[in-house]
């Protein structure tokens, strides 16, 4: 497929607000795409690079190049050329990269150049596009949209499903069933302001401890155990304790969902940083396991003995979990019959906080498992408000912070897929964090204007704040009070950052 086709469709999709028109445009595009174009076309449409990071900064893109008069570049050419730019390293690499980028831009028409600039600086990012693309794909291939959606949920990737559908037709969907050994995206939670609000919304529910560790999905098939993160990375080799624990359980074919945590000598949870460090360390696993031993705590069962449990109500999935997993390895919970029983939920929250955990997750008893979605039937309640925001820019620091990128510009997702700036912060950063963020943000830089460095919106940072206040200076009409950095969330993509809409909904006192 020619890049020019994609660039024009991308422009038209962005320009129309009608969902049905977007779907029709994408369906036409998919009809013309080869299965091998898909791994490039889908991320490009959403404004993502299949290579992830390329470190192509604004300096390389800054120079204008006369555009080609006729389109000739295919999407696969462009992808290969960008991979080549990313591969140039070492002394003189900046000049080498500049030359390759110049050649690419010279081969592109003006519409293609604009598309590539947007792609490389993160501006074409269209957050809400994946859902529309699923519909477009269904229309192009004659597959039922609901079946495509479920296949995407189970495959954890639109690209994988699109490629199979375009190559083999609707029959390819049979290959995407819940299977032990193939991870699925985990179900996520919405936020509620209080336990009373959560119980009021859900009625009969389980109130569970919210453990501040790392989400894990554990697959066991006989003696084979695999462990995946919420981004579906395989971390089996880093957590030998989990494999051992899985082999002790009663069943021999299952998929469980849970959290890995570490406890100190007094049985209180160790910090998230210690667990993250442990899970992130690949080198001397035995030494890491000796200094920070971890254990799993499970809260859901997705498949048992080859039976897919996803559509069963939580009560039934939990009964299966309880059959396989002994109580000490299950999350602590209280069953609450509804709002009249709210005091029991409050007591459980207070007790959970006293034991050092960060809050609770309130779960509807009758709800299915919505893999890959932020289901309305899981509501988390934490006393400290935090938001996951995207770093849009950073300012060079002064004094002790000279040479470091310090003051962060923070954005939440807006309805159109762009990011709306909510405010700035230079608080809460450790020295190690400053060094790390300076390095990462420099790689992501797209423009430098005075002391402000604009970056590709890729880094997600967790921010604590004391409240919202009205502000005419910021696009959403509000700004954060006393925002401070808690930690970077490298396990989250910008598409998972909090939205302006949910933020405003959580603060009716400001928007009234
Ligand atoms: N009992 C539990 N049930 C479900 N998730 C739990 C539970 N205990 C801890 N968690 C963790 O909480 C997360 C659910 O919150 P959410 O979906 O908003 O993700 P999150 O943004 O990572 O949450 P946060 O940033 O508040 O930790 C899960 O991904 C999981 O890692």
């Amino acid at each position: 497929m020619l890049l020019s086709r994609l660039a024009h469709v991308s422009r038209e999709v962005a320009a129309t607000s009608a969902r049905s028109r977007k779907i029709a445009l994408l369906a036409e595009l998919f009809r013309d795409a080869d299965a091998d174009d898909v791994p490039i076309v889908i991320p490009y449409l959403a404004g993502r690079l299949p290579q992830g990071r390329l470190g192509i900064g604004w300096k390389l893109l800054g120079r204008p190049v006369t555009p080609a008069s006729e389109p000739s570049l295919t999407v696969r050419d462009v992808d290969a050329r960008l991979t080549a730019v990313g591969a140039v390293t070492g002394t003189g690499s900046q000049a080498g990269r500049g030359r390759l980028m110049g050649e690419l831009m010279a081969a592109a028409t003006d519409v293609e150049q604009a598309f590539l600039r947007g792609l490389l600086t993160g501006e074409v990012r269209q957050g809400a596009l994946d859902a529309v693309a699923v519909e477009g794909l269904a229309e192009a291939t004659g597959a039922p949209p609901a079946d495509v959606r479920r296949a995407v949920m189970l495959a954890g990737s639109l690209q994988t499903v699109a490629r199979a559908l375009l190559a083999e037709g609707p029959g390819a969907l049979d290959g995407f069933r819940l299977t032990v050994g193939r991870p699925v995206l985990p179900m996520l939670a919405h936020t509620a302001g209080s336990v009373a609000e959560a119980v009021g919304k859900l009625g009969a529910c389980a109130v569970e401890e919210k453990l501040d560790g790392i989400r894990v999905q554990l697959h066991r098939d006989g003696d084979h155990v695999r462990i995946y993160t919420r981004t579906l990375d395989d971390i089996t080799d880093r957590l030998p304790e989990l494999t051992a624990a899985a082999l002790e359980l009663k069943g021999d074919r299952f998929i469980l969902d849970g959290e890995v945590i570490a406890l100190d000598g007094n049985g209180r949870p160790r910090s998230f940083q210690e667990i993250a460090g442990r899970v992130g360390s690949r080198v001397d696993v035995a030494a890491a396991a000796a200094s920070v031993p971890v254990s799993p705590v499970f809260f859901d069962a997705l498949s048992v003995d080859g039976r897919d449990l996803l559509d069963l109500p939580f009560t039934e999935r939990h009964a299966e979990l309880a059959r396989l997993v002994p109580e000490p390895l299950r999350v602590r919970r209280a069953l609450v019959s509804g709002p009249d029983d709210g005091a029991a939920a409050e007591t459980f929250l207070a007790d959970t906080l006293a034991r050092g955990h960060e809050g609770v997750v309130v779960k509807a008893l009758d709800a299915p498992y919505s893999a890959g979605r932020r289901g309305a039937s899981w509501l988390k309640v934490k006393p400290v408000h935090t938001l996951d925001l995207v770093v849009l820019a950073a300012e060079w620091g002064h004094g002790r912070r000279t040479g470091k990128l310090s003051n962060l510009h923070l954005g939440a997702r807006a309805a159109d897929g762009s990011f709306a700036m909510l405010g700035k912060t230079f608080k809460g950063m450790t020295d190690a964090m400053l060094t790390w963020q300076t390095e990462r943000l420099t790689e992501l830089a797209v423009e430098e204007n005075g002391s402000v460095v604009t970056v590709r919106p890729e880094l997600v940072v967790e921010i604590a704040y004391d409240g919202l206040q009205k502000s005419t200076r910021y696009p959403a009409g509000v700004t954060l009070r006393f925002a401070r950095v808690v930690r970077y969330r490298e396990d989250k993509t910008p598409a998972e950052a909090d939205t302006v809409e949910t933020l405003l909904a959580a603060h009716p006192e400001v928007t009234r």
Side-chain angles (χ1 to χ4, degrees):
M1 169 173 290
L2 285 176
L3 178 68
S4 118
R5 178 83 208 283
L6 178 67
H8 279 102
V9 170
S10 169
R11 211 175 239 206
E12 277 188 76
V13 168
T16 174
S17 56
R19 192 178 152 84
S20 56
R21 175 79 189 126
K22 287 185 201 271
I23 293 172
L25 283 164
L26 293 175
E28 252 174 74
L29 184 78
F30 288 133
R31 272 190 209 106
D32 291 351
D34 279 346
D36 289 344
D37 292 333
V38 159
I40 307 161
V41 167
I42 289 184
Y44 276 16
L45 278 170
R48 292 189 302 264
L49 288 164
Q51 291 88 349
R53 282 193 266 150
L54 278 177
I56 299 178
W58 59 279
K59 281 192 191 122
L60 291 185
L61 283 172
R63 304 180 205 117
V65 176
T66 315
S69 51
E70 290 298 324
S72 65
L73 288 167
T74 66
V75 289
R76 278 183 257 168
D77 280 341
V78 174
D79 182 59
R81 285 175 182 236
L82 288 177
T83 300
V85 177
V88 181
T89 50
T91 15
S93 62
Q94 198 66 2
R97 290 154 73 92
R99 188 176 49 74
L100 292 178
M101 271 315 292
E103 285 169 12
L104 172 59
M105 285 309 219
T109 62
D110 52 353
V111 175
E112 292 170 324
Q113 283 194 355
F115 177 82
L116 287 171
R117 278 215 176 80
L119 179 68
L120 291 163
T121 57
E123 268 165 31
V124 265
R125 197 173 277 281
Q126 300 201 39
L129 204 93
D130 280 359
V132 188
V134 164
E135 307 269 331
L137 185 64
E139 197 172 306
T141 55
D147 294 1
V148 179
R149 228 171 285 126
R150 186 170 168 95
V152 170
M153 171 178 112
L154 292 178
S157 140
L158 173 59
Q159 273 136 265
T160 314
V161 176
R163 191 178 196 157
L165 266 175
L166 290 179
E168 300 160 37
L173 294 183
D174 291 343
F176 297 97
R177 295 223 180 83
L178 183 61
T179 313
V180 178
R182 202 159 66 194
V184 293
L185 289 170
M187 175 162 175
L188 301 170
H190 272 291
T191 301
S194 66
V195 163
E197 181 192 322
V199 177
K201 278 191 178 148
L202 299 182
C205 57
V207 182
E208 297 186 345
E209 289 176 324
K210 185 174 194 306
L211 307 166
D212 196 13
I214 303 275
R215 184 81 175 262
V216 285
Q217 194 174 99
L218 188 145
H219 292 235
R220 173 175 166 189
D221 189 354
D223 292 340
H224 297 281
V225 176
R226 306 291 341 154
I227 298 150
Y228 302 94
T229 61
R230 66 182 263 169
T231 42
L232 310 188
D233 296 315
D234 185 333
I235 51 164
T236 314
D237 296 340
R238 297 186 215 167
L239 301 172
E241 301 101 312
L242 265 62
T243 300
L247 292 172
E248 290 287 305
L249 299 181
K250 279 194 200 127
D252 67 356
R253 245 182 115 210
F254 51 76
I255 305 175
L256 303 180
D257 188 6
E259 190 91 352
V260 54
I261 56 161
L263 298 174
D264 67 15
N266 300 320
R268 290 180 71 84
R270 292 172 72 155
S271 74
F272 174 82
Q273 276 73 12
E274 285 175 283
I275 303 161
R278 168 65 212 280
V279 174
S281 92
R282 275 165 240 254
V283 274
D284 194 346
V285 171
S291 72
V292 184
V294 293
S295 48
V297 181
F298 297 106
F299 45 73
D300 218 317
L302 278 46
S303 162
V304 172
D305 297 334
R307 253 188 342 125
D308 175 341
L309 309 181
L310 296 179
D311 292 326
L312 295 184
F314 183 39
T315 311
E316 289 178 40
R317 298 199 310 278
H318 195 271
E320 288 293 323
L321 179 73
R323 205 166 58 77
L324 296 184
V325 180
E327 194 169 352
L329 289 186
R330 296 200 306 265
V331 87
R332 287 165 67 117
R333 62 200 315 243
L335 288 176
V336 170
S337 57
D340 292 347
D341 199 13
E346 298 288 355
T347 311
F348 185 81
L349 171 64
D351 180 46
T352 301
L353 295 176
R355 279 185 296 107
H357 298 296
E358 63 169 354
V360 291
V361 186
V362 184
K363 300 181 176 176
L365 291 178
D366 57 359
Y369 190 92
S370 325
R373 284 201 225 126
R374 224 166 255 290
S377 48
W378 283 16
L379 297 173
K380 58 181 172 178
V381 181
K382 294 195 286 187
V384 179
H385 288 303
T386 66
L387 293 171
D388 292 322
L389 300 176
V390 176
V391 181
L392 306 177
E395 295 171 21
W396 290 109
H398 305 286
R400 232 172 65 74
R401 292 190 174 184
T402 301
K404 295 278 188 284
L405 281 171
S406 166
N407 205 9
L408 302 177
H409 296 202
L410 305 165
R413 280 192 297 133
D416 62 0
S418 68
F419 295 100
M421 185 167 164
L422 288 177
K424 306 181 190 179
T425 187
F426 52 83
K427 300 206 173 80
M429 294 157 193
T430 60
D431 286 346
M433 214 184 253
L434 274 166
T435 305
W436 181 88
Q437 79 186 23
T438 302
E439 206 171 289
R440 282 291 280 117
L441 293 170
T442 309
E443 285 170 9
L444 295 174
V446 289
E447 194 183 343
E448 187 155 352
N449 202 342
S451 62
V452 180
V453 177
T454 306
V455 296
R456 277 177 66 87
E458 278 187 10
L459 276 189
V460 179
V461 63
E462 185 174 339
I463 298 291
Y465 66 109
D466 289 357
L468 271 194
Q469 67 194 40
K470 288 201 167 143
S471 163
T472 49
R473 260 201 294 155
Y474 292 103
V478 290
T479 187
L480 303 176
R481 289 182 45 218
F482 302 115
R484 54 217 182 259
V485 173
V486 180
R487 62 193 175 210
Y488 274 97
R489 292 295 307 252
E490 286 191 276
D491 57 335
K492 286 201 167 183
T493 64
E496 294 176 277
D498 282 301
T499 62
V500 172
E501 196 190 354
T502 49
L503 175 65
L504 295 179
H507 293 279
E509 73 284 0
V510 177
T511 46
R512 253 197 305 264

